[in-house]
Amino acid sequence: MNTSASLPTVDIGIDGMTCASCVARVERALRKVDGVQDASVNLATESARVTLAPELADTAAGQAPATLLRAIRNAGYTPRANSGLQPLDDSRIFGVPRDFAPVLAGLLLCLPLVAPMFLAPFIGSDEAHSLVPVWLQFILGTIVQFTLGLRFYRGAWHALKQRTGNMELLVAIGTTAAWGLSLWLWWRHGLSADAPHAAAHGAPHVYFESAAVVITLVQLGKWLEMRARRQTSQAIAALQALRPDVAHWLSPFDGEQDVPVSELLVGDRVMLRPGERVPADAQVVEGRSQIDASMLTGEPLPVEVGPGDKVTGGTLNGGGLLQLQVSATAGEGVLAHIIRLVEDAQAAKPPIQKLVDKVAAVFVPAVLVVAALTLVAWLLAGLPTEQAILRAVAVLVIACPCALGLATPVAIMAGTGVAAKHGILIKDSVALERAHEVQVVAFDKTGTLTQGQPVLAALQPLQAGSALMTGEGDGGVPGSVAPAAAQGAAMAPLAAATALQQGSEHPLALAVLRAFAEQTTVTPDEPAAPAIPTAQDVQAIAGHGIQGQLEDGATWYLGSLRWMEQLQPEAVGTDAGETFMKHWLAQGATLSALARQQPGGPVQLQALLAFTDTPKPEAAEAVGKLHAQGLQTVLISGDNRAAAEALARRVGLKPEQGEVQAEVLPADKANAMRELQQGSSGEPRVVAMVGDGINDAPALAAADVGMAMANPQGGTDVALHAADVTLMRGDVRLVAGAIAISRATVRKIRQNLFWAFAYNVIGIPLAAFGMLSPMLAGAAMALSSVSVVSNALLLRRWKP
């Protein structure tokens, strides 16, 4: 567990970062500030997450202390109060996007400089060279160098003050060398018209166009990169857009008023009109409608809601008018938790980024050394000075720390964003990277592979030969009778079981309560149902059942057969009980027993209860998808073995191959995780646990990757905190989807890192050997970061 999770953190937006070296510089500056425990800077999101010492929790209060902002500014960057990418500026100047205007100006200024290069094959190189006078090349190149290129000088200056390097330093040195070389050649040509570097028509061969084009191309590449990066952050923007600005508050004094959603308090009542978004998590008080939650959960079909149903802030109302009672403020609702979860995942660094950070720390100094060696080597080889300088310049320009800094975070942004769009929330980048290594997927049973709403299918009283059959009863069971005839002997134990279960939220308890309510709906021709006795000293025995005293003075026990074996009750009506158990175990039912003990007397069995819970329709398909991915699947259940194995076979699991672990207590599920992680051969395995996020917390925490399924009965907010991955709807097929998007994202990270390194490993030697001009090197550098971001954007097409 990450111990820093309980420490206060603040997020700060940062403008002006361009490469991995910038990231390292800002992190160093922030870590030097007193009270800072750690700092993680993300180039793709242009933000920093700073972990503070506990004593700064109150002073920070979610806001960045001024000392952090000043440290960022002193490092040469501009801090912003809001973290994350800034929205695109859609304003225009003469029909051109404002942020593209400087790039367009550079392209227009460079056009006369590069025109001779394109015209040379048609009119000859000498004639083309003389088309643009040197003085005009000097004016155009100087404007580009010291206006568009001003940002590179600023960044280089700040880097030098920090005794480090970055992309701006490489570009500034390289383009200044090309511009200065051109100025020197022009001045030298003026001293001697017969200088060997003069062209045939008396004009010197200068390189103002190389410096200007490199600056313009790098600017163009950064503009394209920024546009592409904005697309990777669209998941956050789409979630934030779900928040309505205004709610129709029902004031107790002045009637309906429109107020900002941020002012809503728990308990407030609001009106929701057709077509509007739910302003905050709430409960329906009046009205009926359909709620579309597709943007939050990926569930395509609207859900019917009425009085008593819960609705989530940000979901879309259909055609009905609803009155709601707010259950959570806008900042504490499910939508706010989801947004924070996605932001956290995109802000954190995965383990693979550590290697990149180490490389970035020495990248720029290494490039400067290689450029210097290139210059010296070619001078010693007898190459003219200007040619040796140009090859060193090409080395400086093609070196690209930008792509290294973007390779990992843009893939994580795209991967977590598209996953959230389809209802898969990944808590952090460590979980994202870990999930692709999963070898075994372990499932909880109830609510995960099954519908999660068990019903009491049958009750067999052991004092008499009749059985009470309820909603899913089977008339073929020996001793079964119709509900009307079953009143009496069968209803008495049901009433006792209901008394013990009053107030319990356990799924089996709810099934008992529903069964009693259904059986006590009588007609005038039927006898009156027994009243529910009063229960006292009710105690829940974890992993076993429940016990309490009823009005008859006896202690009653209701729980698992395993618990009954420990209590060693006297069996009554053994034949009927064995027949009942044999039949319902074959049906995959979960069996419980009801026992009674008079003070000082033995424990006596009173009844057996059979509960059934049907598998989810998509459960078998989900297991099949995981098998197709080459994964082993295991069911871990607290049910008896016969019931667990019957359910397992229905969904495609193979008990005979050890894919079922039955009769496992909740407290022992964590140990079961560790056994799976060790494996039978002793080789460690990566195990994912899938549960409902409420009762399976120990197992979810013990697993390498915990996946919690949101509970439609109100456990969604709990599931958001329960595991590394939250599946926002109860579709178990999302488990395969979560592993698939993890694999796809890690694959993109590796591809991006390969290309980022390949650009430099291949490009720097080519430049050093004179096979790339500075202009081509600049183009390659600009395209490297664009290609990395574009490759990550391909993840947006992923579907589970």
Side-chain angles (χ1 to χ4, degrees):
M1 181 179 292
N2 185 5
T3 57
S4 65
S6 59
L7 297 176
T9 61
V10 292
D11 292 332
I12 310 171
I14 305 173
D15 287 333
M17 296 189 299
T18 56
C19 65
S21 299
C22 301
V23 170
R25 191 159 88 230
V26 176
E27 287 181 343
R28 284 196 301 270
L30 289 172
R31 287 169 181 159
K32 291 179 181 178
V33 178
D34 290 339
V36 172
Q37 299 283 337
D38 193 19
S40 177
V41 177
N42 190 313
L43 177 61
T45 60
E46 297 178 355
S47 63
R49 172 155 293 181
V50 184
T51 304
L52 304 175
E55 58 268 19
L56 297 180
D58 295 333
T59 58
Q63 300 296 320
T67 52
L68 300 180
L69 305 180
R70 181 57 55 86
I72 294 172
R73 195 171 295 278
N74 289 341
Y77 304 95
T78 304
R80 282 186 278 106
N82 56 319
S83 61
L85 290 172
Q86 290 286 76
L88 288 174
D89 185 359
D90 293 327
S91 60
R92 292 178 174 267
I93 302 176
F94 301 112
V96 178
R98 182 180 294 273
D99 59 347
F100 184 68
V103 180
L104 179 61
L107 291 173
L108 294 176
L109 290 171
C110 287
L111 187 58
L113 298 176
V114 298
M117 183 188 309
F118 294 104
L119 294 175
F122 305 101
I123 64 175
S125 59
D126 292 339
E127 289 76 6
H129 180 70
S130 62
L131 285 177
V132 183
V134 176
W135 62 268
L136 182 57
Q137 294 184 49
F138 167 74
I139 292 175
L140 296 176
T142 302
I143 292 174
V144 173
Q145 185 73 35
F146 298 104
T147 55
L148 291 181
L150 185 60
R151 58 167 287 186
F152 299 109
Y153 287 106
R154 288 173 177 165
W157 171 243
H158 286 295
L160 290 174
K161 286 195 299 182
Q162 298 289 327
R163 297 180 181 179
T164 184
N166 58 9
M167 181 205 74
E168 283 95 341
L169 181 63
L170 296 179
V171 174
I173 293 176
T175 58
T176 302
W179 181 87
L181 174 64
S182 301
L183 194 62
W184 177 74
L185 290 174
W186 187 23
W187 173 77
R188 185 178 175 185
H189 178 269
L191 294 180
S192 175
D194 298 327
H197 53 268
H201 292 285
H205 194 102
V206 294
Y207 304 97
F208 290 116
E209 83 285 351
S210 295
V213 169
V214 165
I215 287 176
T216 303
L217 287 177
V218 172
Q219 289 274 51
L220 175 61
K222 301 307 289 183
W223 181 82
L224 291 172
E225 170 202 315
M226 181 55 64
R227 287 272 162 172
R229 274 199 278 159
R230 290 296 187 274
Q231 296 180 50
T232 65
S233 66
Q234 283 184 353
I236 292 286
L239 288 171
Q240 291 173 337
L242 297 181
R243 292 170 165 165
D245 297 322
V246 176
H248 309 304
W249 174 48
L250 296 178
S251 169
F253 307 106
D254 303 318
E256 185 176 317
Q257 295 183 24
D258 286 350
V259 300
V261 170
S262 58
E263 294 184 10
L264 291 179
L265 302 175
V266 175
D268 282 348
R269 294 202 175 192
V270 296
M271 293 301 297
L272 184 67
R273 300 190 177 102
E276 293 182 336
R277 291 199 177 275
V278 178
D281 291 9
Q283 189 172 32
V284 178
V285 178
E286 294 180 9
R288 292 190 174 276
S289 186
Q290 305 83 35
I291 295 294
D292 180 1
S294 57
M295 279 298 294
L296 282 180
T297 66
E299 178 60 57
L301 299 177
V303 179
E304 295 280 345
V305 295
D309 291 331
K310 296 179 180 180
V311 292
T312 304
T315 53
L316 184 64
N317 184 27
L321 180 67
L322 299 176
Q323 184 180 135
L324 309 175
Q325 184 172 25
V326 176
S327 58
T329 60
E332 296 299 326
V334 172
L335 178 58
H337 285 306
I338 292 174
I339 292 175
R340 281 198 290 268
L341 206 61
V342 179
E343 286 177 339
D344 289 348
Q346 296 184 349
K349 286 185 179 181
I352 197 172
Q353 186 68 22
K354 294 178 181 179
L355 171 63
V356 178
D357 290 343
K358 290 180 181 179
V359 173
V362 298
F363 184 84
V364 173
V367 171
L368 291 173
V369 171
V370 172
L373 292 175
T374 299
L375 175 63
V376 173
W378 283 114
L379 289 175
L380 293 176
L383 195 71
T385 302
E386 57 266 28
Q387 293 299 319
I389 291 175
L390 286 176
R391 293 183 182 185
V393 168
V395 170
L396 291 172
V397 171
I398 199 171
C400 187
C402 313
L404 285 176
L406 289 169
T408 300
V410 292
I412 289 174
M413 288 178 67
T416 55
V418 72
K421 178 181 177 182
H422 293 287
I424 302 170
L425 299 182
I426 301 171
K427 183 171 291 185
D428 55 43
S429 54
V430 176
L432 178 69
E433 187 173 347
R434 190 65 168 159
H436 92 282
E437 301 174 338
V438 167
Q439 299 164 281
V440 182
V441 177
F443 290 99
D444 174 48
K445 175 176 170 282
T446 304
T448 303
L449 291 178
T450 67
Q451 297 284 8
Q453 291 186 329
V455 297
L456 178 59
L459 184 150
Q460 174 68 58
L462 299 181
Q463 296 287 355
S466 61
L468 173 65
M469 309 304 300
T470 62
E472 294 196 6
D474 185 344
V477 180
S480 66
V481 294
Q487 301 287 356
M491 285 300 295
L494 179 59
T498 303
L500 293 174
Q501 301 283 25
Q502 291 280 14
S504 174
E505 294 295 328
H506 192 281
L508 297 185
L510 297 177
V512 170
L513 298 178
R514 285 195 301 268
F516 185 84
E518 293 170 359
Q519 295 301 322
T520 53
T521 303
V522 298
T523 66
D525 298 331
E526 294 176 337
I532 301 176
T534 302
Q536 297 178 342
D537 297 329
V538 177
Q539 300 177 36
I541 310 300
H544 293 297
I546 195 167
Q547 70 180 49
Q549 288 186 348
L550 300 188
E551 295 172 349
D552 58 1
T555 300
W556 289 72
Y557 305 90
L558 175 61
S560 66
L561 300 182
R562 182 175 58 250
W563 189 30
M564 294 300 152
E565 291 176 358
Q566 296 176 9
L567 294 175
Q568 297 181 342
E570 295 180 356
V572 181
T574 303
D575 293 341
E578 289 183 353
T579 303
F580 182 89
M581 291 174 59
K582 182 178 180 180
H583 172 83
W584 285 106
L585 287 176
Q587 301 296 318
T590 299
L591 294 183
S592 294
L594 179 70
R596 177 175 178 271
Q597 182 182 26
Q598 287 285 6
V603 179
Q604 292 186 318
L605 285 178
Q606 300 295 306
L608 294 173
L609 298 84
F611 298 89
T612 58
D613 188 6
T614 57
K616 291 181 177 179
E618 71 278 3
E621 180 184 352
V623 171
K625 286 180 178 293
L626 292 171
H627 289 165
Q629 291 177 340
L631 301 173
Q632 179 185 349
T633 53
V634 178
L635 172 65
I636 301 179
S637 174
D639 281 347
N640 60 76
R641 177 159 296 278
E645 290 185 353
L647 182 280
R649 290 189 176 91
R650 294 179 68 180
V651 299
L653 296 172
K654 299 177 181 178
E656 61 275 9
Q657 295 183 8
E659 294 187 349
V660 175
Q661 295 188 23
E663 301 179 1
V664 180
L665 296 176
D668 294 333
K669 287 187 177 181
N671 294 329
M673 284 294 100
R674 298 185 185 97
E675 291 176 1
L676 288 174
Q677 289 165 337
Q678 293 174 357
S680 57
S681 61
E683 294 184 4
R685 298 187 298 179
V686 180
V687 180
M689 174 67 191
V690 187
D692 62 10
I694 301 173
N695 300 322
D696 302 302
L700 291 170
D704 297 289
V705 179
M707 297 188 185
M709 302 190 73
N711 187 341
Q713 278 73 46
T716 301
D717 53 342
V718 179
L720 284 170
H721 298 88
D724 303 307
V725 178
T726 300
L727 309 178
M728 287 300 295
R729 63 181 190 272
D731 189 342
V732 72
R733 290 173 295 187
L734 289 181
V735 175
I739 294 174
I741 187 58
S742 170
R743 290 178 174 179
T745 303
V746 171
R747 188 162 54 246
K748 286 298 179 188
I749 290 174
R750 290 173 174 171
Q751 290 173 0
N752 284 349
L753 289 175
F754 169 79
W755 286 114
F757 282 107
Y759 266 109
N760 294 291
V761 170
I762 297 175
I764 290 177
L766 289 178
F769 284 102
M771 302 175 68
L772 287 177
S773 69
M775 285 190 291
L776 289 177
M781 176 187 175
L783 288 175
S784 63
S785 56
V786 175
S787 63
V788 163
V789 178
S790 300
N791 185 45
L793 282 176
L794 295 176
L795 283 171
R796 296 176 63 205
R797 300 187 299 183
W798 178 86
K799 292 183 180 180

